[in-house]
Amino acid sequence: MASGHGSNFEALVAACRDGRLAAEVELLVVNNEGCGAEERARRLGVPCRLLDHRRFDGREALDRALIAAFRQAAVDLVVMAGWMRIVTPLLIEAFPGRLVNIHPSLLPSFRGVDAIGQALAAGVTLAGCTAHLVAPEVDAGPILVQAAVPVLAGDDVDSLAERIHRQEHRILPLAVQLAAERLRDSQG
Ligand code: GRF
């Protein structure tokens, strides 16, 4: 699931294709027509579906369409790789332990929008990113992997975001691997 540039989506596809992650990306769902993620999917040959939230009557209706798309694609795990919409318990409960999110802060600090701006405004010296399983609260749930990124003198949102993104691309495939292992262990 992606809403914007799709660099995390591409990092996952790359990890699957170069053997770092024993998985396959079966489907990308985007909510913004023409977004970077959609273009990357075309270039990478990954099937892509547009589910534009503007065409749905509320969050639950969108989540029902997402669930149907993922069930049809028979996916084992769902990754919110820069999905800039709040999801409802419908989606979370449809994929218990199977829904992974990536967020550009060291959770539980700086949840919600503009996490990098929030971190800079607070004056932290250590920022970072978190991949976690999704719980009903926004940007919450069991943490799978985190990476710390030092804030450097003179950093602005763009410079810090660039270094955080590099770490996101590294930890998201690891988190998907861990989520899969947790599932396997819980199923005995
Ligand atoms: C990432 O910073 C992610 O943490 C946040 O949205 C951003 C998506 O970036 N949830 P991209 O679209 O993967 O390039």
Side-chain angles (χ1 to χ4, degrees), residues 4-9 81-84 101-104 165 168-169:
H5 298 299
S7 66
N8 280 286
F9 156 69
W83 182 254
M84 307 312 269
N101 183 43
I102 181 87
H103 182 74
H165 274 136
E168 288 184 338
H169 302 160

Side-chain angles (χ1 to χ4, degrees), residues 109-149:
S109 295
F110 311 125
R111 293 178 166 147
V113 294
D114 191 22
I116 298 171
Q118 290 183 53
L120 281 174
V124 296
T125 55
L126 205 53
C129 47
T130 304
H132 63 98
L133 289 172
V134 177
E137 234 180 299
V138 174
D139 296 323
I143 288 171
L144 295 165
V145 190
Q146 288 188 308
V149 175

